[in-house]
Amino acid sequence: MQYLSTRGAQLGQYRDVIVEGLAPDGGLAVPAELPTIDAALLERWRPLDYAGLATEILGLFATDIPRDELARICRTSYRPEAFASPEVVPVTSLDGGLSLVGLSEGPTLAFKDLAMRFLGEALDLVLTEADEVLNILGATSGDTGSAAEHALRGRDRLAVFMLSPKGRMSPFQRAQMYSLLEPNVHNIVVDGVFDDCQRLVKRISEDVEFKRAHRLGAVNSINFGRISAQIAYYVWAWLRATDAVPAADRDGFEVSFAVPSGNFGNILSGHYARSMGLPVRRLVLATNENNVLDDFFRTGHYRPRTAANTLTTSSPSMDVSRASNLERFVFDLLGSSPERTAAAWGELTVRGEIDLSAEQHRFLPELGFVSGTSTHADRLATIREVAERCGVTIDPHTADGVKVAREHVEEGVPMLVLETAKPQKFAETITEALGVAPAIDAETRTLLDAPQHVTEIPDDEQQLRDLIASSALR
Ligand SMILES: *Cc1c(COP(=O)(O)O)cnc(C)c1O
């Protein structure tokens, strides 16, 4: 499988794109051609466990990694002992046609573990074979950072430089990251919001010379390794949702997915799964008060907010105004044309928005996208209602998904809501909704009390460069 940039450059194969992160021309890696899946293949995959299914899906994209190696790293990434549920991704029904796809059973209690654990193993494999090292530079609004650091901690050939916005993450999220003391983990707290962190990372990553000199890579959701690994759970969830459907009716049996969204990484994998042939009716995009993407899907106008206009909400991992992965979707929307995609991003730079209203009629039904916004009040009401009706405590992000999912349920079409985090991560909001804090086990208590270590910097590119230059692996 060959990869190219949304702006046109040829990027090589899977190994190359997972190491490179952002393409040298500033675009994002996409497969030259999407593989396809059909009913016969899906039935063949039905008996597989999660690691087995992930091997099959990732094998379609990582064609340059030998199958036995891929199987080995999927077994390691998705061994049931590393997850709270033996199925790795349990699917449980709520009410009103909704089910919850349990993506947060991993060590950092968020869906990002699923893709990050695989990417950590895959990078290790590639770097070991090439006898190289890589310094991962990233920005986090909370869950990316902890998933990345937990997936990469203690590895010899990888270091992590993770930027996080000062004072914008929950105490649990901070503890998960800042308590890691491995020498290959560097927590850098920036005096700014998530978008400031992301901009610093983007600027440095666009400096090809600096990036090469210090062997920088990225595990942000722009890394295609993560996007490809996430496709596996859409297929897994479809299989589990259709296990009880009579065999004769499974071919083409449609389900919908609701996805709490920020950087557009998670739902992009759903878009790819659907484009590959998975029978998906709707992709329901849920945003919080930072509803740039809801606006986009309603109007075709993409107007990212400035950092100053990005609100701090009670679903902080979705406090994103510039959805970096949207470029891949727009590339598809514009007929896989690098010229048109580059022109659209040029327009964004000049005018601060992209007008794709001429394409908006294709969002539905062709591409299956609908969207909605959930507010703090919706979040609290939804957490309360799901706890009362179903006896399940959901986290604030998943609550945004449930709220918007309910607005798009169709008769006879299962609505699968992706659970993106566990409630323990966001105790304050759970307490506000339910009057009691989520149960905290001894392990969590120890984590919250552990000493923390960070390096603080202002929103300043030069200071970040100096820091990387002095501590990167070489
Ligand atoms: C990262 C994250 C999201 C947003 O996912 P994107 O891939 O950025 O759209 C939503 N909820 C939680 C809990 C997250 O950690």
Side-chain angles (χ1 to χ4, degrees), residues 104 109-112 141-144 173 194 221 226-227 230 233 259-268 285-286 293 315-320 323-325 395-398 418-422 425-426:
S104 314
L109 315 187
F111 82 95
K112 292 183 173 82
S141 54
D143 302 322
T144 303
Q173 287 178 314
F194 170 66
S221 66
R226 285 180 59 190
I227 302 296
Q230 289 168 181
Y233 53 67
V259 189
S261 294
N263 254 319
F264 202 75
N266 200 358
I267 201 167
L268 178 74
L285 181 144
L293 289 173
S315 46
S317 303
M318 292 154 63
D319 290 348
V320 175
S324 42
N325 263 296
D395 100 290
H397 307 77
T398 308
L418 302 192
E419 177 208 54
T420 55
K422 288 288 182 206
K425 286 193 110 163
F426 306 97

